[in-house]
């Protein structure tokens, strides 16, 4: 059912005469109505049509596009092949779903085979599930080879897989420290190493590394997680400097509190988030899709922070905002 809203426009894939103003008005009204229907029915608003004042309707790759006199491709990552790690559930699954909706073909990887396989089956022929331990170089070689053999190329990578553990620094177990860095940091390093030659063969592309607000500031108890996410932030910039020569952009996203299984049990009210809530996974996915798309063609080595304003102020105890200046 998820793909129905992506392809259902084929039901009205028609050519509308430039000379029939009434027909163009009818088509625009119909498209707006259908877009609202898909938003309500499938739970997410898809950026499908560019609506213009000129109401110029054109048939483009099977889609009706309403443009400002220029041809626009409906989907931001149309025909791109993207590998997403840790994609069986949570934020990774949200990334995969949105990328499929935006026209990509997606290689879903994880160690959770049942969940990953179910997601790929849900997403249809545009998705492929591959078992992958991101801390193992051979596993990376297998995943990249699967992307190229199945879909013909690799244009993008989302280094999303991550783990976290918490303990006071004096009692922090060494095995947890090593495991966290192996997945969160070494996994990103290995991913860049494995994907860069393939993306270069495809003529260039984009790598998105999922860091965190803990890659911008400290957090008690999350010592390995903080170290790994600061490391992701740093290797993003050094890799961007090298990748630029080959047309490969490398950027990082830094989510704050996101509503996923990893944050289950955390009360957003405990955090000084100016917007007053946790993010939904799709809100992070929108930034990921932007960085994978050609819309971000002049961005590399950059950071996008998605934290509801959590890191923009100096936290302190004070009166409620409405009483602060009275």
């Amino acid at each position: 059912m998820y793909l129905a809203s992506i392809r259902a426009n084929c039901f009205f894939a028609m050519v509308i005469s430039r000379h029939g103003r009434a027909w163009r008005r009818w088509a625009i009204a119909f498209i707006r109505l259908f877009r609202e229907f898909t938003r309500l029915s499938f739970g997410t608003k898809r950026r499908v049509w560019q609506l213009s004042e000129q109401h110029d309707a054109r048939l483009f790759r099977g889609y009706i596009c309403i443009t400002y006199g220029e041809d626009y491709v409906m989907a931001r990552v149309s025909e791109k092949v993207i590998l997403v790690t840790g994609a069986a559930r949570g934020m990774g699954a949200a990334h995969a779903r949105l990328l499929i909706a935006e026209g990509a073909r997606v290689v879903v990887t994880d160690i959770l085979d049942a969940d990953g396989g179910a997601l790929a089956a849900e997403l249809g022929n545009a998705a492929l599930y591959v078992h992958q331990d991101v801390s193992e170089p051979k596993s990376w070689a297998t995943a990249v080879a699967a992307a190229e053999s199945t879909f013909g190329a690799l244009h993008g990578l989302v280094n999303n897989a991550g783990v976290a553990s918490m303990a006071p620094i004096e009692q922090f177990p060494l095995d947890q420290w090593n495991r966290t860095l192996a997945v969160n940091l070494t996994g990103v390093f290995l991913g860049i190493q494995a994907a860069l030659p393939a993306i270069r063969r495809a003529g260039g592309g984009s790598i998105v590394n999922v860091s965190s607000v803990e890659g911008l500031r400290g957090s008690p108890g999350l010592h390995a997680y903080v170290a790994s996410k600061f490391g992701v932030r740093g290797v993003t910039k050094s890799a961007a400097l090298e990748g630029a020569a080959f047309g490969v952009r490398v950027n990082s996203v830094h989510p704050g509190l996101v509503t996923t299984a990893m944050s289950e049990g955390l009360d957003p009210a405990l955090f000084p988030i100016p917007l007053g809530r946790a993010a939904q996974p799709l809100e992070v996915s929108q930034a990921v899709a932007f960085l994978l798309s050609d819309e971000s063609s002049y961005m590399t080595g950059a950071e996008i922070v998605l934290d509801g304003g959590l890191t923009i102020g100096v936290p302190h105890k004070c009166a409620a905002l409405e009483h602060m200046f009275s």
Side-chain angles (χ1 to χ4, degrees), residues 133-173:
D133 178 350
V134 296
S135 66
E136 294 293 335
K138 289 182 179 179
S139 194
W140 271 108
T142 299
V144 170
E148 291 188 303
S149 63
T150 303
F151 296 125
L154 182 66
H155 304 98
L157 167 66
V158 183
N159 275 312
N160 172 79
V163 296
S165 56
M166 178 177 283
I169 195 163
E170 291 182 81
Q171 285 84 46
F172 204 97

Side-chain angles (χ1 to χ4, degrees), residues 26-42:
W26 176 87
I28 289 161
F30 185 82
I31 287 169
R32 282 175 171 152
L33 178 64
F34 186 81
R35 183 171 62 176
E36 182 66 12
F37 169 78
T38 59
R39 182 182 70 82
L40 295 173
S41 299
F42 296 92

Side-chain angles (χ1 to χ4, degrees), residues 43-233:
T44 180
K45 187 173 183 179
R46 288 171 178 76
R47 186 171 161 275
V48 177
W49 296 279
Q50 301 281 345
L51 297 175
S52 79
E53 295 175 356
Q54 294 181 8
H55 305 325
D56 182 19
R58 303 180 184 183
L59 185 67
F60 188 76
R61 293 191 183 180
Y63 299 94
I64 291 179
C65 298
I66 311 299
T67 75
Y68 287 95
E70 299 179 59
D71 289 326
Y72 285 84
V73 178
M74 181 208 75
R76 285 183 288 177
V77 287
S78 180
E79 304 304 318
K80 294 183 187 292
V81 179
I82 313 294
L83 192 156
V84 184
T85 69
R89 60 189 185 188
M91 274 203 307
H95 303 337
R97 287 190 174 101
L98 180 63
L99 292 171
I100 291 284
E102 291 282 1
R105 287 163 289 176
V106 176
V107 179
V108 173
T109 80
D110 211 303
I111 59 173
L112 303 174
D113 294 337
D115 291 340
L119 177 64
E122 170 196 330
L123 296 177
N125 293 334
L128 170 71
Y129 174 70
V130 177
H131 176 92
Q132 183 188 23
D133 178 350
V134 296
S135 66
E136 294 293 335
K138 289 182 179 179
S139 194
W140 271 108
T142 299
V144 170
E148 291 188 303
S149 63
T150 303
F151 296 125
L154 182 66
H155 304 98
L157 167 66
V158 183
N159 275 312
N160 172 79
V163 296
S165 56
M166 178 177 283
I169 195 163
E170 291 182 81
Q171 285 84 46
F172 204 97
L174 181 59
D175 61 338
Q176 289 187 24
W177 172 273
N178 290 336
R179 179 58 182 162
T180 302
L181 266 65
V183 173
N184 296 6
L185 182 54
T186 303
V188 169
F189 164 73
L190 292 174
I192 295 170
Q193 273 195 330
L196 193 57
I199 297 174
R200 189 166 61 236
R201 285 193 293 271
S206 175
I207 296 174
V208 181
N209 297 326
V210 180
S211 181
S212 168
V213 290
E214 272 83 13
L216 304 172
R217 54 195 278 182
S219 188
L222 289 172
H223 309 292
Y225 189 78
V226 168
S228 68
K229 294 303 184 179
F230 263 89
V232 169
R233 181 186 176 198

Side-chain angles (χ1 to χ4, degrees), residues 76-77 91 94-95 98-99 102 158 206-210 249 251-255 280-293 295-296 299 302-307:
R76 285 183 288 177
V77 287
M91 274 203 307
H95 303 337
L98 180 63
L99 292 171
E102 291 282 1
V158 183
S206 175
I207 296 174
V208 181
N209 297 326
V210 180
R249 299 178 296 104
N251 296 285
S252 60
V253 295
H254 297 256
Q280 294 300 312
L282 182 61
E283 294 177 291
V284 180
S285 301
Q286 293 283 4
V288 170
F290 167 71
L291 289 173
L292 290 167
S293 78
E295 293 174 356
S296 59
M299 290 181 67
E303 303 165 1
I304 295 182
V305 180
L306 303 128
D307 66 352

